[in-house]
Amino acid sequence: YRKGPCDIVIALTNMRGVTLGIVLALSAFGQAQQGEHSVGGTVRNTLTGEPVRNALVVVQGMASPNPSNGVRPGGSEEGQGKTMLSGPGGEFHFDGLPQGHYACQVMKPGFTQDGDAGSSTVFDIPRSPRDAAIEIKLTALGTIEGKVVNQYGEPLERILIAVYEATISDGERSAREIKTVWTDDLGNFHLAWLDPGKYWVKAAGKKGGTATYVGAEAISDESWDAFSPVYFGRARDIGSAAPIPVAAGSRVRTDFRLEVQPAFRIRGKVEGYAASEAVSFELQRGDERAEPSRALLDGATGQFEILDVTPGAYKLRAAQE
């Protein structure tokens, strides 16, 4: 979905394959539980009202919330169901359903089912004529994209871009990282399928982690240039950074212009680690959450070298799972 129509065709082809497998797996249920009832409806985009085609629609039997009303689970047992893809007009229709209690769920990549759209997805069969049709609404997810360049306008590749959202735990507000992506050779990045809300976007560092070598096999062509991590809007910490609102179906642009400068390296030795397991190094400045730094580690001696260090005061942390 990120790179163009070809990806969309492949994704939908895969979805059709999965759906076919589900339909075949449920064919025994369809044959054994043929009923005289049917149900149909339309899948629509919450934002535009347009029909959504090729959405996976699942009608599934479930236990009645009020067993005393005499309504049985749809089908012979709870959890059985039928599936299909919505048509060009977003339409779907299921025949041969026995009397009972059902739920209808709709899924499509790039969308989320809207539970507050005023349409019920739980129903009993038989249904009265006035509400026989079901309307399911899907909310298109948002996208954040942009380009990263240096102070001379040159694109920067392999830059780690992180997205955070606000969370509240035990009454305390904090930020949680939800997605990461790296810039391509043209400095572009694309973060798709974001729920509507407010986010913070950060150019966190260079792609890498710890590269382990033995003896003289250390990487010798690593860049000596680096930049200080910064949020969109040039804030150095999330407390002073402005959140970015992402609406349903929107594409938000967040371009970065980074001040690249000659960097320092930190050398040292780590002891008491398992040579067969990876070691990560983090440089934390203030209260900001630290991303794993690019580093070189001699697996035989424990000598390490942390790259891309800009001037400042840090806490250094080495960790091993």
Side-chain angles (χ1 to χ4, degrees), residues 206 209 211 213 217-227 261-269 281 283 293-297 303-312 314 316:
K206 292 185 177 181
Y213 65 94
E217 298 298 321
I219 301 174
S220 59
D221 59 349
E222 292 290 345
S223 171
W224 285 83
D225 293 330
F227 64 91
Q261 58 184 301
F264 292 90
R265 297 191 178 195
I266 297 174
R267 295 189 178 97
K269 184 176 182 179
F281 297 90
L283 286 176
S293 302
R294 289 202 310 161
L296 305 174
L297 173 66
Q303 299 287 340
F304 68 85
E305 189 172 273
I306 300 175
L307 313 175
D308 311 326
V309 184
T310 55
Y314 301 88
L316 172 58

Side-chain angles (χ1 to χ4, degrees), residues 54-171:
N54 289 326
L56 179 62
V57 185
V58 181
V59 170
Q60 194 168 38
M62 60 184 300
S64 174
N66 184 15
S68 62
N69 64 8
V71 177
R72 304 187 306 272
S76 62
E77 61 182 87
E78 181 183 350
Q80 292 182 320
K82 293 185 175 183
T83 69
M84 68 172 297
L85 292 178
S86 60
E91 74 280 0
F92 62 91
H93 188 86
F94 296 94
D95 290 317
L97 295 174
Q99 178 179 344
H101 192 65
Y102 291 86
C104 184
Q105 184 179 11
V106 181
M107 295 166 283
K108 183 172 182 178
F111 290 82
T112 182
Q113 186 165 344
D114 189 351
D116 299 319
S119 59
S120 174
T121 57
V122 177
F123 56 91
D124 294 328
I125 289 181
R127 295 169 60 79
S128 60
R130 71 177 185 275
D131 63 354
I134 299 174
E135 186 171 279
I136 306 295
K137 293 187 178 181
L138 294 181
T139 299
L141 300 178
T143 299
I144 294 177
E145 58 189 6
K147 185 172 185 176
V148 180
V149 300
N150 62 17
Q151 63 265 46
Y152 309 110
E154 300 167 338
L156 296 176
E157 63 176 323
R158 297 170 63 85
I159 302 300
L160 175 64
I161 304 296
V163 177
Y164 302 86
E165 68 176 359
T167 61
I168 298 178
S169 178
D170 296 330

Side-chain angles (χ1 to χ4, degrees), residues 22 27 35 41 129-130 151 156 190 207 220 232 277 288 290:
I22 295 173
S27 61
R130 71 177 185 275
Q151 63 265 46
L156 296 176
H190 186 95
K207 181 179 180 180
S220 59
F232 179 68
E277 302 292 337
E288 275 294 293

Side-chain angles (χ1 to χ4, degrees), residues 8 13-14 50 65 85 92 116 132 147 174 179 189 192 265-266 271 290:
I8 294 177
T13 300
N14 288 339
E50 297 176 347
L85 292 178
F92 62 91
D116 299 319
K147 185 172 185 176
S174 61
K179 284 180 180 285
F189 65 91
R265 297 191 178 195
I266 297 174
E271 298 178 343

